[in-house]
Amino acid sequence: MPKLKVVTFGCQANELDSARIAGILAREGYTLTEDEAEADLVILNGCSIREKAEQKLFSRLGTLQALKAENPRLRLGVAGCLAQREGETLLRRFPYLDFVVGNGEHLAEIPQLLSIAPGRPAVAASEPVGLFPEDADIHRHSRIRAWVGIMEGCDNFCTFCVVPFTRGRERSRYPDDILHEVVRLRGAGYREITLLGQTVNSYGKKLDPPVPFAELLRRINVAVGPAMRVRFTTSYPPDVTPALAEAMAALPSVCEHIHLPVQTGSTRTLAHMKRTYTREDYLEKVAMLRAAVPDLAITTDIIVGFPGETDVDFAETLSLMEEVGFDGCFAFKFSPRSGTPAVDLPDQAPEPVKAARLSRVLELQRALSLQRNRAVVGRVVEVLVDRGLSKRDSGLAAGRTRQNKIVHFQGGELEEGQLVNVEITEATSHHLKGVLIASS
Ligand code: 5AD
Ligand code: SF4
């Protein structure tokens, strides 16, 4: 049986696409391997959101070229946002590639691309339309946690972002298809799902009739019952509605966590980014969510060194971080991406300024995370046991709270996917520590 290795560089959406690719090729007789040396086919599924992500993939291609020189039967493909963006250009730059395949329904074309004779490279990367192949089996790694794609693409066109180009226009999956998948996952023993979309909370606006995201959450809550945790990511601040806050408060399966990228605390910079909200709007959304959902954890994304960002603008990012008290944050140096308007904006920040600002954001976030985590010490929290999080040889079990915080705790032999109560005794900025109280 031919062997396949899929290497993912990028976000959760890319990971889910890799699981779809593995499922599509399983039907063609491929089995998965971790070992490149024994693979007949290697697919690099790559991200292009920042230049660094692209470079990682390019350097991996270099190593694979050497492997292909030794084993000419090896076939190589590039998939994902990078493939979507670069298309033909990739084949010209890396002539030893066999195929390049873009996002969305293009994934279903992989078997066809493989049937083309070796040595005749092929591309399927026209603008992504439709959703993902609905009938593809998804080859998931975890037996307890699953990503569930509910929408694709984005219509916001933030001035720094390639996503509207790589994933196309916003389009939502039908609620019934989502509900079928979710019920199947519950039946297969999954204990947590994360609904995925680039702006997940603008789900359903274009469906006929429209289905608000809060309504989808209600339907999912009924379908899965209390035994399953439901998460969602990523949320776009203007699409946070009172109905969403109410749904999060009312639905027992929906976890008390929202990932809500702010990007910057400066209203001036937000306007340059075309984020369509102000600092005050963002803070109002946070206040609304917190008023409705006790114990809500809020995480965010921040970009430093956006063109034109002054010291004063940057200070506003730091002050917003403190004002909100984020539980966690992914911070990035602005990376100019060709084809996006931000490349041509004046006052591009020099690298050392970006680096210094990034360090300050990370340092402040460490202190904020510690503060937020310390607030949990002394409390008893519900933890979903997850073997993948255990540190080897530590003898400790591990899992996540409903707020998505990692907990390491003492507590015998536990089954993966079990829900247990843990008393938190210590906190660091990365995780919590505790002792097992009782299984539930
Ligand atoms: N440069 C730096 N960070 C970016 N992001 C998106 N595009 C860029 C870019 N050009 C970040 C944003 C987004 C996250 C997924 O990646 O913070 O929320
Ligand atoms: Fe990119 Fe998110 Fe803006 Fe859409 S909303 S353009 S995915 S940063």
Side-chain angles (χ1 to χ4, degrees):
M1 265 208 247
K3 292 212 159 80
L4 162 72
K5 172 157 182 167
V6 187
V7 191
T8 314
F9 302 83
C11 65
Q12 300 96 332
N14 284 42
E15 269 179 41
L16 179 55
D17 282 341
S18 290
R20 289 191 181 110
I21 292 172
I24 289 167
L25 287 172
R27 276 202 304 226
E28 305 291 313
Y30 281 86
T31 55
L32 283 176
T33 175
E34 281 304 309
D35 183 4
E36 265 160 34
E38 67 163 20
D40 301 279
L41 170 62
V42 177
I43 299 181
L44 303 185
N45 182 13
C47 172
S48 67
I49 202 137
R50 285 170 294 274
E51 199 185 333
K52 224 163 115 185
E54 289 190 355
Q55 269 154 8
K56 271 196 210 156
L57 187 143
F58 292 149
S59 77
R60 188 65 166 261
L61 270 179
T63 3
L64 287 168
Q65 180 181 20
L67 197 62
K68 193 162 175 169
E70 286 166 27
N71 171 15
R73 280 187 34 251
L74 175 65
R75 301 186 84 185
L76 289 181
V78 176
C81 289
L82 179 71
Q84 184 67 55
R85 200 169 132 82
E86 303 284 336
E88 294 272 351
T89 325
L90 279 178
L91 288 187
R92 280 198 291 278
R93 189 164 159 197
F94 305 99
Y96 51 90
L97 276 178
D98 293 281
F99 67 90
V100 173
V101 65
N103 284 327
E105 288 184 341
H106 283 311
L107 293 183
E109 295 174 55
I110 296 178
Q112 204 182 320
L113 294 172
L114 281 169
S115 69
I116 296 170
R120 286 179 42 213
V123 181
S126 56
E127 181 179 337
V129 289
L131 283 149
F132 16 80
E134 190 65 58
D135 62 341
D137 288 330
I138 302 178
H139 191 100
R140 294 185 159 94
H141 288 293
S142 169
R143 286 185 302 109
I144 57 161
R145 285 182 295 111
W147 306 108
V148 175
I150 67 163
M151 53 97 68
E152 271 277 310
C154 180
D155 287 350
N156 289 320
F157 290 94
C158 300
T159 56
F160 52 81
C161 186
V162 296
V163 165
F165 307 102
T166 59
R167 293 208 173 256
R169 296 288 64 69
E170 180 185 316
R171 51 223 188 265
S172 296
R173 203 171 160 198
Y174 287 109
D176 284 351
D177 291 336
I178 298 170
L179 289 167
H180 277 141
E181 180 171 356
V182 163
V183 166
R184 258 203 329 270
L185 288 166
R186 191 200 53 190
Y190 281 83
R191 303 304 302 269
E192 179 177 298
I193 52 166
T194 304
L195 310 176
L196 262 194
Q198 276 72 39
T199 56
V200 76
N201 58 330
S202 56
Y203 170 84
K205 282 185 184 165
K206 293 183 184 170
L207 289 174
D208 183 17
V211 179
F213 181 56
E215 172 61 24
L216 179 72
L217 286 179
R218 285 182 193 282
R219 292 198 206 169
I220 290 176
N221 181 69
V222 171
V224 298
M228 199 166 202
R229 285 180 172 184
V230 177
R231 302 184 182 282
F232 54 90
T233 198
T234 290
S235 295
Y236 185 58
D239 293 320
V240 170
T241 58
L244 173 59
E246 280 160 27
M248 289 184 79
L251 306 176
S253 62
V254 178
C255 288
E256 295 76 21
H257 171 224
I258 189 164
H259 185 64
L260 195 62
V262 66
Q263 311 300 356
T264 163
S266 152
T267 293
R268 217 176 65 89
T269 311
L270 283 167
H272 294 158
M273 292 177 166
K274 279 224 176 100
R275 287 288 288 183
T276 71
Y277 55 89
T278 63
R279 171 192 179 95
E280 289 69 33
D281 295 336
Y282 185 88
L283 290 171
E284 271 173 32
K285 300 284 179 173
V286 166
M288 179 180 74
L289 287 165
R290 287 223 163 112
V293 188
D295 285 336
L296 180 70
I298 305 181
T299 53
T300 201
D301 292 344
I302 285 174
I303 296 179
V304 297
F306 191 76
E309 182 185 74
T310 63
D311 286 343
V312 174
D313 293 315
F314 178 62
E316 296 203 341
T317 293
L318 297 178
S319 73
L320 179 126
M321 288 173 68
E322 289 196 81
E323 208 168 325
V324 175
F326 288 114
D327 291 81
C329 154
F330 296 109
F332 311 101
K333 293 188 244 180
F334 167 67
S335 170
R337 309 306 290 131
S338 63
T340 64
V343 181
D344 302 317
L345 290 176
D347 303 322
Q348 298 280 329
E351 180 56 32
V353 169
K354 291 184 191 174
R357 289 181 182 167
L358 182 68
S359 309
R360 288 193 62 193
V361 166
L362 295 176
E363 191 186 328
L364 173 58
Q365 187 54 51
R366 258 194 302 277
L368 293 174
S369 297
L370 182 60
Q371 204 177 315
R372 296 284 298 165
N373 288 349
R374 278 195 178 141
V376 192
V377 172
R379 293 177 51 186
V380 174
V381 295
E382 183 200 88
V383 174
L384 178 69
V385 176
D386 188 333
R387 290 251 165 95
L389 294 170
S390 304
K391 284 197 197 118
R392 238 175 255 151
D393 305 328
S394 71
L396 295 178
R400 283 184 193 266
T401 68
R402 290 177 61 88
Q403 284 73 16
N404 213 27
K405 293 179 189 288
I406 295 174
V407 186
H408 295 286
F409 59 99
Q410 282 160 356
E413 285 294 297
L414 293 170
E415 293 262 323
E416 173 109 312
Q418 213 177 321
L419 283 178
V420 296
N421 291 323
V422 174
E423 182 174 341
I424 303 303
T425 52
E426 260 182 86
T428 73
S429 57
H430 295 107
H431 64 274
L432 303 168
K433 287 186 194 159
V435 287
L436 181 69
I437 299 291
S439 304
S440 57

